[in-house]
Amino acid sequence: MDFERFKKTQSRVLKLIENSYKKNRLVHAYLFEGAKGTLKLEAAYYLASVLLCTGSNKPCGECLECKRIHKGEHPRIYYIEPDNGTIKKEQVDELIHEFSRKGLEEGTRVYIIKDIEKATLSASNSLLKFIEESNEGVYGIFITENFSNLLPTIVSRSQVVSFSKVSETELINEYKKNNVDEETAKVLNVVTNDVNEGLDLLKEGKIIDIINLVKKCNEEIVNDGTPYVAFYKYGKSLMDDVSNKKYHQIFLDLLITITNDRIYHIIGQDDNITFINEINNIDITNMDFSKAFKQAEAIVPYKGILRYNVNLETMYMKMFIEVMKWQKLLV
């Protein structure tokens, strides 16, 4: 668990946890909500550490309880995450059964449920009953990235704690610590707010191919070339994986981003540019604001079209025709 990064990036949540403990105002059900990458799971285990630590300065990080938590081996912490996309009633029933038994170790017990919005209705009903009947010394922490999808009954029985989105500067610094160059770091920040997910994408390798493909297509658009031809010449790895829409969504997001970079450059807001190396490699002397704006606007609807069962080759052809229409018609 990266407690230090949590403490640095979510100081308001840290203060809430520590003050609630010191003033004996902890509640028995918390709902941690916020965007991906905002260290909600780290915060959940930090709160568990505060509750279970036997040191004088909680969490001390040195006692047996803290060490067990860091290893993910504490017997009085019960963790649930979705099983094949949902949290099932059987998982909640197992939690209830586990907490009804007298364990080998007595004391405070904590359960953490990740992606609580994915609980089935029957699982949610069982959980609500468990919350209402829980004994002293039992604490629940629910985690979600989709607050609007939660049952109101879950929300009403929990103290909602909202997590702030981590700043771009902080994320870029984390990437740099992992030897990622600044432009790639900024691009990854567009794709995800979670550094670990961004690093995993780099390890998979395909994200670099997509970044290079976006640059190639952008150069063709700006130079009145043939972005559709460039797409099929350099986008083989993307089209070979037509079943995985995730990478196609990333491609469209980044194509919109690099088009917006041209807009920022035209209006003199270079600090907002993501593809910081690429902007110096293209000639935008004949590019005006309206042209770039209309091109970005033309790409956006195709993000929604991707959700359906469409012929991707035809879709991309239509998209690039639409983009180049604005390139050639506007002055």
Side-chain angles (χ1 to χ4, degrees):
M1 292 290 113
D2 193 350
F3 286 168
E4 289 308 311
R5 187 161 172 251
F6 156 66
K7 289 157 73 172
K8 183 178 180 182
T9 61
Q10 299 292 341
S11 57
R12 184 183 57 80
V13 177
L14 173 69
K15 187 175 180 180
L16 170 69
I17 291 172
E18 293 185 339
N19 285 346
S20 296
Y21 178 79
K22 290 173 183 176
K23 296 177 181 180
N24 197 28
R25 291 180 180 172
L26 288 171
V27 300
H28 290 276
Y30 286 91
L31 176 59
F32 288 177
E33 71 90 15
K36 181 180 286 189
T38 49
L39 305 175
K40 298 178 293 299
L41 185 59
E42 282 79 359
Y45 276 97
Y46 184 86
L47 174 53
S49 297
V50 169
L51 289 165
L52 299 175
C53 173
T54 57
S56 56
N57 190 17
K58 305 177 184 295
C60 68
E62 299 297 327
C63 69
L64 175 62
E65 311 302 329
C66 284
K67 289 179 179 178
R68 284 164 139 185
I69 291 171
H70 274 279
K71 291 179 181 179
E73 299 174 350
H74 204 291
R76 285 185 278 128
I77 297 178
Y78 195 94
Y79 174 72
I80 295 177
E81 63 183 359
D83 177 16
N84 289 326
T86 60
I87 294 170
K88 301 174 174 60
K89 183 177 184 297
E90 292 80 5
Q91 292 175 277
V92 177
D93 288 345
E94 180 60 32
L95 162 67
I96 295 170
H97 174 70
E98 181 67 25
F99 275 44
S100 69
R101 298 165 55 197
K102 187 172 183 179
L104 294 175
E105 296 187 21
E106 295 184 3
T108 298
R109 305 187 78 176
V110 179
Y111 61 97
I112 299 168
I113 303 181
K114 185 175 181 287
D115 298 335
I116 184 62
E117 78 282 359
K118 295 179 181 177
T120 64
L121 182 59
S122 57
S124 297
N125 289 335
S126 294
L127 185 60
L128 286 168
K129 186 177 180 182
F130 178 62
I131 295 171
E132 292 168 354
E133 297 176 353
S134 288
N135 299 320
E136 283 293 316
V138 174
Y139 295 86
I141 307 167
F142 312 125
I143 298 172
T144 183
E145 293 166 9
N146 296 285
F147 183 77
S148 60
N149 292 341
L150 282 170
L151 287 176
T153 45
I154 293 287
V155 177
S156 66
R157 286 163 174 77
S158 311
Q159 179 174 336
V160 179
V161 180
S162 297
F163 284 61
S164 305
K165 203 171 182 182
V166 181
S167 72
E168 182 184 51
T169 300
E170 177 65 26
L171 289 171
I172 288 173
N173 287 337
E174 286 296 317
Y175 280 121
K176 286 182 175 179
K177 290 177 184 176
N178 288 275
N179 300 315
V180 178
D181 67 272
E182 186 172 359
E183 183 185 77
T184 303
K186 289 172 79 70
V187 171
L188 288 171
N189 192 39
V190 172
V191 176
T192 176
N193 196 236
D194 187 336
V195 171
N196 291 328
E197 183 178 357
L199 293 173
D200 287 341
L201 284 171
L202 283 177
K203 289 176 184 176
E204 289 174 13
K206 189 170 289 189
I207 189 67
I208 296 299
D209 292 338
I210 292 175
I211 291 171
N212 291 332
L213 177 62
V214 167
K215 291 180 179 181
K216 291 288 185 183
C217 291
N218 184 64
E219 289 169 9
E220 291 292 320
I221 292 168
V222 172
N223 295 320
D224 293 333
T226 52
Y228 176 74
V229 174
F231 177 82
Y232 278 95
K233 181 178 179 181
Y234 299 102
K236 186 176 185 303
S237 65
L238 184 63
M239 289 307 294
D240 283 348
D241 194 9
V242 294
S243 62
N244 194 338
K245 297 290 184 69
K246 176 182 79 171
Y247 293 110
H248 293 272
Q249 288 284 2
I250 290 174
F251 171 75
L252 293 179
D253 283 337
L254 295 184
L255 191 61
I256 293 169
T257 298
I258 202 168
T259 306
N260 286 335
D261 282 352
R262 284 190 261 129
I263 295 173
Y264 288 132
H265 191 54
I266 290 164
I267 63 178
Q269 293 185 6
D270 286 8
D271 288 346
N272 293 324
I273 289 173
T274 297
F275 288 84
I276 53 177
N277 299 333
E278 184 67 10
I279 204 67
N280 297 319
N281 296 330
I282 59 175
D283 181 9
I284 62 165
T285 54
N286 295 320
M287 177 65 71
D288 63 25
F289 174 88
S290 297
K291 187 179 291 188
F293 181 81
K294 287 293 185 181
Q295 288 173 340
E297 199 174 52
I299 298 167
V300 171
Y302 290 91
K303 285 170 52 64
I305 293 172
L306 260 182
R307 297 195 204 99
Y308 302 99
N309 186 21
V310 296
N311 183 301
L312 291 175
E313 185 173 346
T314 302
M315 187 201 80
Y316 281 119
M317 181 182 291
K318 288 181 178 178
M319 184 190 75
F320 283 119
I321 289 173
E322 182 75 12
V323 169
M324 293 311 292
K325 177 184 78 173
W326 295 110
Q327 177 70 13
K328 295 179 184 300
L329 290 182
L330 288 176
V331 178

